[in-house]
Amino acid sequence: MRFGIIGTNWITDRLLKAARDLPAFSIGAVYSRTEERGREFAAKYGVAAVYTDLAEMFQSGNIDAVYIASPNTFHVEQSILALENGIHVLCEKPAVTSVAEMDRVIEASRKHGKMYMEAMKSIVTPTFLNLKKNMDKVGQIRRFVFHFNQYSSRYDKYKEGIIENAFKPEFGNGAKMDLGVYCIAPIIHLAGEPERVLKNSYSLSTGADGQGSMILDYKEFEAVVMYSKITDSYVPCEIQGEEGVIEINKISDPTQVAIKYRDGQTEDLSMPQKFDTMYYELKEFMNCAENGQIESAINTHEISRQVIKVLT
């Protein structure tokens, strides 16, 4: 499958590194707003076709699918344009910045019969899927405690007066959209949509949130979510049940998961992970597209819709 690439940044480099383990993957073209930057990025991967016009790339015949890793506010229009031109879409999280945008993308995917998936890497990994199958072992769930707090190197620049895209709300960025989504998506996958959401946030001078928290109310249990780009945290995440606790090393990249039962016993739910986490989302997307699906049975359109509803 020939991919077009939108977004010439570190996350794209990581995806392309993971793609080396998928023989069916190839890069057909690179898009950048400037030809110089596009050529520089394409040269690293031996790609000849570089475009500064998206429609031209989508209509070139050089690609079957596109990976979108541009700023969040660009996702909706780029996704819809690709789908309208018969191109499958794998779009970085968060897929969009509003429920209305998500509805437009879902409609375009259905209308044109092309695959669309949000690139939420953590929920298609072997360990997370095994966690999902074994969650009932801790009995009645009472609380999720999921957090992703990672001090941003761009915050140092912010404090020096240099404002980069990570702290510009006009691009749909901030701690909630960049990091909080990694907490919200797994909860939606495991527990569904909450009945109500309480939110708190700390905004920087630009209007972007530096950190925040949420409580998702599920009547019989709650989910406590914390996220920050201005502090770090190193403690694991938890799913607390009446018969035990599921401990997760890192919710954005779950590789070590164990149940700690009330009687003192432990059970390791970790699964062998031979490849980079992003390999599994890319493999899921490619398999679905090749099978003629328009959405993943794991990472469905409706789940992405519920995630953005909670986020916004």
Side-chain angles (χ1 to χ4, degrees), residues 178-297:
D178 293 345
L179 302 184
V181 65
Y182 280 113
C183 304
I184 299 299
I187 293 171
I188 300 297
H189 275 266
L190 296 172
E193 187 176 359
E195 294 195 2
R196 67 188 181 114
V197 180
L198 303 176
K199 301 179 183 179
N200 186 50
S201 66
Y202 168 71
S203 295
L204 302 171
S205 61
T206 61
D209 59 325
Q211 67 176 29
S213 60
M214 297 184 188
I215 298 177
L216 281 57
D217 181 11
Y218 286 90
K219 215 169 218 182
E220 292 190 337
F221 61 92
E222 67 179 5
V224 179
V225 172
M226 294 167 282
Y227 45 87
S228 176
K229 299 187 81 169
I230 59 177
T231 61
D232 285 317
S233 179
Y234 301 101
V235 297
C237 295
E238 290 185 336
I239 301 172
Q240 301 169 2
E242 293 187 355
E243 302 302 322
V245 175
I246 301 175
E247 189 175 272
I248 306 163
N249 66 324
K250 189 176 182 181
I251 197 58
S252 64
D253 199 356
T255 55
Q256 298 173 27
V257 175
I259 300 178
K260 296 184 176 180
Y261 293 100
R262 289 182 57 243
D263 63 5
Q265 295 186 67
T266 62
E267 180 181 356
D268 189 5
L269 298 182
S270 309
M271 299 294 288
Q273 185 168 309
K274 181 180 178 181
F275 306 107
D276 181 273
T277 309
M278 296 185 80
Y279 164 92
Y280 299 97
E281 69 179 11
L282 188 54
K283 186 173 186 290
E284 171 69 9
F285 172 80
M286 292 175 66
N287 285 346
C288 291
E290 288 165 358
N291 290 335
Q293 298 168 231
I294 65 167
E295 64 180 315
S296 164

Side-chain angles (χ1 to χ4, degrees), residues 3-52:
F3 276 74
I5 303 297
I6 302 175
T8 52
N9 49 47
W10 69 270
I11 195 71
T12 310
D13 282 322
R14 182 174 173 183
L15 180 99
L16 295 178
K17 182 179 179 181
R20 294 171 185 169
D21 292 306
L22 288 162
F25 178 96
S26 65
I27 309 175
V30 170
Y31 166 84
S32 179
R33 284 171 293 175
T34 66
E35 185 165 348
E36 181 182 4
R37 175 59 181 147
R39 298 250 171 237
E40 179 185 340
F41 186 86
K44 291 195 298 182
Y45 298 98
V47 181
V50 174
Y51 296 91
T52 56

